Amino acid sequence: MKRGSFLLLALGALLASSASVFIAQTTVPSIAYDSVDFLKPPANLSIGEVAGVASNSKGQVLVYTRTGTVNVSVGTARTFAHGPSRLLRFDQNGKFVGEIGEGVYALTYAQSVRVDRQDNIWVVDQYSNMVVKFDPEGRVVMTFGRRPETAQSISATTAAAPAAGAGGAGRGAAAGAGAVAPQAGAAGGAPPRGGGEVPAAPAGGARGAAAAAVPARGGAARGLGSQGDSFSRPTDVAWDAAGNIFISDGFGTSSRILKMDKNGRFLKTFGGTGSEPGQLNKPASIAIDAKGDLYVADKGNKRIQVFDGEGTFKAQYTNVGTPSAICISPGAHQYLYSSNSNDPDNLDNGEIYKMELDGKIVGKFGSAGHLVKEFGMVNSLDCQSENTLFVGELTNWRVQKVTLKK
Amino acid sequence: MKRFIQICIVIMATSVVPAFAQRGAQGIKEIPYDTVPNFLKLPPNLYMGEGIGVARDSKGHVYTYTRSGATRLFEFDEKGNFVREIAPGSYGMEMAHAVRVDAQDNIWIVDEGTNMVVKFTPDGRPALILGRRPDPFDGLPTAAVFARNTNPPLPYRFDRPTDIAFDAAGNFFISDGYGNSRVAKYDKNGRFLKTTGSFGNGTGQLNTPHSIQTDAKGNVYVADRGNSRIQVYDNDLNLVKSITGIGAPWAVCITPGPHQYLYSSNSSPESNNSVQMATSGEIYKMELDGTILGKFGKGGKMLGEFSTTHAMDCRNENELIIGEITSWRVQKVILKPGAAK
């Protein structure tokens, strides 16, 4: 009996030790953190889905939100859509300061806002297919792309590419990451959905039909889009130290990165649709480190890809789920943060990873949900510092200010 | 066509049980009642539209979720004086369907134009957001054609949801709706727990679940409007019984207190056509087991008549707040059961 229990104990110890080895190899450390619901808008200002959030050098926080109602007006045998995304400025305590770009032609369906080194404010809009640069006071100083003229042409030209995210190659790349299965298969007969962020097509595939009717932009193959700044649902913008502009494009028919100089002149485009190294599938978010390397949240391929400033592929990180929003912290030792955001049909995943720039995971925090400290479809991250992040959520209509604890 | 089918269903339902219907009509006593004229007092240049949602909080304040020039959420005090508008321009507001107030005085809206359910704190801040507004530009190239969703409903997506109810634990139940035909249960933090129902008229099926309430035990009462019945479920959404003989239930409410009552409105067709309106519009008072205690009202445009009741609040057993679609009105109705002949 004694021997029997000793054997059991030994067996248990063996199991425990092998289990701990297993855990040590696969478990990412959790980072302790606090969070507050940051924005305090006045009662008559309704924040909707927070698509973009960014802080400037003064600690102010810019929010680009999908709110209000799209209005359609009737003109010469055509209909025209107006609004309703808004660009709002808050102070360092979350108090509302003012609105920027009220009524501006491009602000239709918010996607991203970023602030450059000179505190210029850049917005990226999915439906106007435009990127607009505002100076720090809020004056329009440069525009990229052109908004389609009518409501119908907005719908047609921004049609999402057929659910490329569910492709076999993309699935293969995700296998090692233990990521969720593509949504298209999970709903059992539901219409296929594109990337998690892209809203569902109506039953009957009206959007798919529209996509088929739109010729490839500029005739370019493989989702490289046009040579210059004509976009298909662009997603994000970043700059290198010289002021060169990088734009990720996008959630529509293009999957590419556009590089322009600081004066808006075309330099090159790279990427293209696919799952090979260097190719992209719904690039959702980008960031550039101090050396000028570009990090792309390659959402449809469930990986982060790293390119040098000339677009040469350098590395890919495939162990952080579905990167939907990324940021790189300032300072001498930079870190990369990436959100494995949930999709609108579930509360799975949702954790945010902290990584070294070489892809080594430092830790993670958070999970999907509605409460403070939980996240709902994170679409943007702003790394104000290594331990202070602003997290913009689509489905919780919220910005959280997250403080990581050492 | 839709209305024709609704009328057919009503005719079929009544012709199937003619004896019961006649007995019911003869045996149900009329409850005398008064109505308070001009209950809601709006400031100049602020107008109610269709009185789609009404609810009171613990202080007696009245909330209306109305289809006006835009869909808007208004608050009035217990005397009907205008207090404020809540969340103007909210991303969740497009086509009002219901407002309800929970035990903590949070204000919940159900919007069938955005497929969203939003909880606002008593001070008017969004606190829990469920469902997701579809891409606004998807609606443009194709006309909006009414279609039921024949796919299994997704846990966190609604298809023209209609109403919400809460149990004592803070779980909530959403009737969903015109597109989906189901009831879904969530915990207080908005995590999906369960769904039941599919389109049809069989056991456990639903045809436009239009209004929903819970009793103190946590049972769930669903106005299965298209099937002219109230479906009663236990707290785990197992079907317990069906209540019939009350026309097509458009709106239901359950009173608080130790002895709870169930009210259900057999509302008139929403045409605002005076001939069609005259055929229905009565509101039934029942025990929770479905025993009919009496009825009051009829369809019509005048005060004291009901122009397609769409929502009822009965925090007070004999003082009902009633929202009507077509007269753009909210009435406060005082029942006088003691005065019955």
Side-chain angles (χ1 to χ4, degrees), chain A residues 11-292:
Chain A
L11 188 65
L14 190 70
L15 277 173
S17 64
S18 61
S20 68
V21 168
F22 182 74
I23 289 165
Q25 284 173 345
T26 57
T27 301
V28 173
S30 287
I31 302 171
Y33 67 108
D34 280 333
S35 183
V36 293
D37 185 353
F38 179 70
L39 302 179
K40 301 174 193 72
N44 63 357
L45 177 63
S46 291
I47 307 275
E49 296 191 334
V50 174
V53 61
S55 57
N56 68 14
S57 68
K58 298 182 184 125
Q60 291 179 323
V61 175
L62 287 305
V63 174
Y64 194 26
T65 177
R66 303 168 186 168
T67 188
T69 290
V70 171
N71 292 306
V72 173
S73 56
V74 179
T76 46
R78 295 171 297 172
T79 49
F80 303 90
H82 306 282
S85 285
R86 300 173 76 177
L87 177 60
L88 309 170
R89 192 198 304 257
F90 295 82
D91 72 11
Q92 65 274 15
N93 300 314
K95 185 165 169 284
F96 178 63
V97 174
E99 178 165 4
I100 298 167
E102 185 175 355
V104 157
Y105 192 54
L107 308 192
T108 57
Y109 199 66
Q111 168 58 25
S112 178
V113 59
R114 300 278 192 179
V115 176
D116 68 18
R117 285 170 181 78
Q118 292 76 41
D119 273 350
N120 298 302
I121 302 153
W122 299 61
V123 298
V124 182
D125 193 279
Q126 271 197 44
Y127 279 101
S128 63
N129 284 326
M130 290 190 72
V131 177
V132 179
K133 175 185 179 182
F134 296 88
D135 71 12
E137 285 71 48
R139 282 181 286 272
V140 174
V141 289
M142 200 177 284
T143 65
F144 304 85
R146 182 172 182 241
R147 177 182 148 142
E149 290 185 359
T150 67
Q152 288 86 351
S153 56
I154 288 179
S155 296
T157 55
T158 57
R171 210 181 292 239
V180 290
Q183 184 60 34
R193 301 178 189 286
E197 200 291 318
V198 179
R207 171 175 269 185
V214 177
R217 287 186 158 276
R222 299 191 306 113
L224 275 168
S226 86
Q227 280 275 297
D229 48 325
S230 296
F231 303 113
S232 182
R233 303 177 77 169
T235 54
D236 207 358
V237 62
W239 314 270
D240 64 18
N244 293 312
I245 304 156
F246 294 76
I247 294 170
S248 51
D249 173 38
F251 283 154
T253 51
S254 302
S255 283
R256 58 145 185 171
I257 306 295
L258 169 68
K259 181 181 180 183
M260 286 175 288
D261 72 13
K262 64 181 180 184
N263 298 319
R265 292 183 212 287
F266 173 79
L267 292 176
K268 63 168 56 178
T269 184
F270 55 93
T273 304
S275 57
E276 296 298 314
Q279 294 181 326
L280 300 165
N281 185 344
K282 301 193 189 306
S285 180
I286 57 176
I288 292 176
D289 68 16
K291 286 184 291 199

Side-chain angles (χ1 to χ4, degrees), chain B residues 280-301:
Chain B
S280 53
E282 75 280 10
I283 296 170
Y284 294 88
K285 181 180 183 181
M286 287 172 273
E287 301 283 0
L288 291 183
D289 67 2
T291 304
I292 297 173
L293 298 171
K295 66 182 170 74
F296 61 94
K298 65 179 197 304
K301 300 178 197 289

Side-chain angles (χ1 to χ4, degrees), chain B residues 35-40 42 47-54 64-67 272 277 298-311 321-333:
Chain B
T35 184
V36 178
N38 301 318
F39 172 55
L40 296 185
L42 286 129
Y47 291 86
M48 280 286 294
E50 295 186 331
I52 295 298
V54 292
T64 68
Y65 194 33
T66 179
R67 295 174 187 163
N272 203 13
M277 284 168 84
K298 65 179 197 304
K301 300 178 197 289
M302 297 295 289
L303 272 179
E305 299 177 329
F306 301 121
S307 59
T308 317
T309 296
H310 196 268
I321 307 291
I322 294 176
E324 303 157 83
I325 300 181
T326 50
S327 288
W328 302 351
R329 188 168 62 187
V330 170
Q331 289 189 65
K332 180 172 173 179
V333 169

